[in-house]
Amino acid sequence: MPTSAFDALADRFARIPEGAGASAWTDFDEDVREALRWSRSVPPVHTWFPGTPGRRPTAAETAVALCGPDGRTREAALSFAGGSPGLLPLVVVRCADWAGPVRERARSVLRAELPGLPHGAFGDLLAVALLIAGRLRGNAARTLLTGALREGPESRVAALLGHGDRGIRRLAHRIGVERGLLSPARLAEIAATDPDAVVQDLCANAVLATVRDAVDGALLDPLLRSRQGRVRAAGVTGLRRAGRAAGAEPFLYDRSALVRACARWVLRQAGTEPLPLYRAVCAAGAGAGAGAGTAAGMPDDAPLGLAECGDRAVDVPALWTLTGHERPRVRASAVAGLRRLDAVRVDPLVPLLDDGSARVVREAVTALLPWADRIPADALLRRATADPAPHVRKGALRLLAETGGAAFREAARVLADDPDPKLRALARRATGA
């Protein structure tokens, strides 16, 4: 190939920054092969590298050779890849090569380089291996690197726990748990604070496996304080094993349905039926009267919790009363509870379409959608085009869209120029504009 073309590809390699993502290496591999694929002839191995015959090629020259279309050239280039950390990501790519001799040589080179590899460089190679694992013959590099992580020094696993690649972080945490490298307290902290749901579940389940009594139960406290519902649910489930089942009662009113369900299970296992607890709390809130200050202390999601385990014939009146509660979250929860118990009535819910809380209006709209044709279209059109609150206009538009017709088309036309950007976009989508 012309030296100028070779130099251009070599320069492309030289510009790949240190710590580049895995896709940078697979992209380079594909681009080199594409550039060389239609050349008239593939130079013999001994003339592939420009310069004086017998000269050791530079790293950039070797990188281009590692990605070329000729299998003999790729295999020969692997002889120069050992001892060059910057070339090892391409060696990982070659572990999935279509040519058997190239694959075997690449895996041998990679195997020899792993023991003394710095932790950061190891993570970079693992990222490439995870990326190509889905390819035909692509799993060998992942198996090799994962095995080295399982059998390697603890410091390597620790270094990868905070890696920027999500797949690597998950793998490092999984191996850390398998090898017992993370203390229960550290696992609880990670479960409570890590942003990745997979890592949260992995570490939370590992914490639960260690809880045996009330002393161990202290490990659950970070889980119970977590902002993530799945983690709180794991902590609540662990309360039974820790002998702290009574501690599940406050979580009957959690904002997460999963947490509420776990709390009910724990209390029932301990012999406490949660339904009377829900009824007492909701009765206190409903009995205090709409807008009464004494009702302010009831949990926001108690009405929905009541509906999740209550009886339609018994509990619906309390939910209707709570639709007039002073706090928006309680009103919204009560509407959601009515919908869950299939107790929606159109006329009493329509006034909530004008509620000052967007949360309440969303719940009311969701509950009324099946009966949208029973709401006067002119009343919805007035709300959609004349109400000053964007959330009221949006709710009315959703209900009008359910039935269509002239009122919906008029509302969408007016709202296509609404000052609220989200509502404007919704109206334009509704009309296909």
Side-chain angles (χ1 to χ4, degrees):
M1 71 186 285
T3 301
S4 59
F6 193 106
D7 289 344
L9 292 170
D11 180 66
R12 164 80 184 277
F13 168 80
R15 287 186 283 107
I16 298 177
E18 184 178 353
S23 60
W25 300 105
T26 55
D27 290 347
F28 177 78
D29 174 57
E30 293 171 4
D31 291 347
V32 170
R33 187 160 52 256
E34 183 66 24
L36 303 180
R37 179 172 292 151
W38 306 115
S39 59
R40 292 184 178 179
S41 62
V42 177
V45 172
H46 69 277
T47 63
W48 178 265
F49 303 110
T52 305
R55 174 181 65 85
R56 182 179 178 86
T58 65
E61 293 166 349
T62 305
V64 176
L66 281 170
C67 304
D70 183 72
R72 295 167 301 168
T73 301
R74 295 196 302 276
E75 184 181 3
L78 285 165
S79 301
F80 302 99
S84 300
L87 292 171
L88 291 181
L90 294 175
V91 173
V92 174
V93 175
R94 294 280 68 80
C95 287
D97 200 278
W98 67 268
V102 178
R103 290 197 305 272
E104 295 306 319
R105 185 66 175 273
R107 295 167 190 177
S108 176
V109 171
L110 181 60
R111 195 177 293 110
E113 294 292 322
L114 288 181
L117 207 61
H119 300 332
F122 184 93
D124 294 341
L125 299 189
L126 185 55
V128 179
L130 293 178
L131 181 62
I132 68 170
R135 297 182 180 180
L136 183 65
R137 300 175 294 270
N139 197 47
R142 178 175 65 176
T143 300
L144 182 59
L145 286 159
T146 301
L149 190 60
R150 282 195 169 94
E151 299 169 5
E154 296 181 11
S155 57
R156 176 173 287 172
V157 178
L160 297 183
L161 292 175
H163 198 278
D165 184 277
R166 183 175 61 181
I168 291 178
R169 292 184 61 254
R170 291 176 176 179
L171 180 60
H173 281 88
R174 186 173 296 111
I175 291 176
V177 170
E178 291 174 1
R179 294 180 59 179
L181 304 181
L182 302 170
S183 69
R186 177 76 190 285
L187 288 168
E189 177 188 358
I190 295 172
T193 60
D194 197 277
D196 187 345
V198 173
V199 174
Q200 293 168 13
D201 288 348
L202 177 69
C203 294
N205 290 334
V207 172
L208 296 185
T210 68
V211 174
R212 294 290 182 270
D213 52 33
V215 175
D216 294 337
L219 296 170
L220 300 175
D221 293 341
L223 307 186
L224 297 172
R225 293 193 299 267
S226 173
R227 298 179 63 183
Q228 308 299 325
R230 295 167 63 90
V231 178
R232 293 197 305 280
V236 170
T237 302
L239 289 172
R240 177 173 175 262
R241 182 178 294 184
R244 297 169 51 190
E249 182 175 343
F251 295 93
L252 290 173
Y253 318 109
D254 194 272
R255 63 183 180 275
S256 164
L258 177 61
V259 177
R260 293 194 299 271
C262 290
R264 290 193 290 268
W265 178 82
V266 169
L267 289 172
R268 286 176 180 136
Q269 294 299 307
T272 300
E273 177 56 44
L275 182 54
L277 300 176
Y278 279 123
R279 284 175 172 165
V281 168
C282 290
T294 53
M298 76 169 296
D300 289 337
D301 292 290
L304 184 52
L306 172 63
E308 288 167 343
C309 65
D311 181 87
R312 187 174 186 272
V314 176
D315 299 310
V316 164
L319 294 178
W320 276 114
T321 302
L322 289 171
T323 60
H325 195 275
E326 64 180 3
R327 289 208 313 277
R329 283 186 64 107
V330 176
R331 296 197 300 275
S333 179
V335 175
L338 289 168
R339 179 163 55 89
R340 184 177 180 89
L341 288 175
D342 194 23
V344 171
R345 299 202 311 272
V346 174
D347 291 344
L349 275 186
V350 166
L352 291 180
L353 295 176
D354 303 309
D355 198 278
S357 165
R359 182 190 298 269
V360 176
V361 172
R362 282 196 302 270
E363 288 293 348
V365 169
T366 302
L368 289 170
L369 277 174
W371 294 277
D373 59 347
R374 293 174 54 183
I375 306 173
D378 57 343
L380 290 177
L381 179 60
R382 185 174 60 255
R383 288 182 173 91
T385 58
D387 195 284
H391 66 272
V392 174
R393 300 199 299 275
K394 180 179 179 181
L397 181 64
R398 284 185 62 197
L399 289 167
L400 286 169
E402 190 69 15
T403 56
F408 166 64
R409 291 191 294 272
E410 174 64 13
R413 183 190 67 78
V414 173
L415 295 176
D417 296 317
D418 195 88
D420 183 89
K422 293 183 178 179
L423 185 53
R424 187 167 63 243
L426 181 65
R428 290 178 179 177
R429 284 199 302 270
T431 59

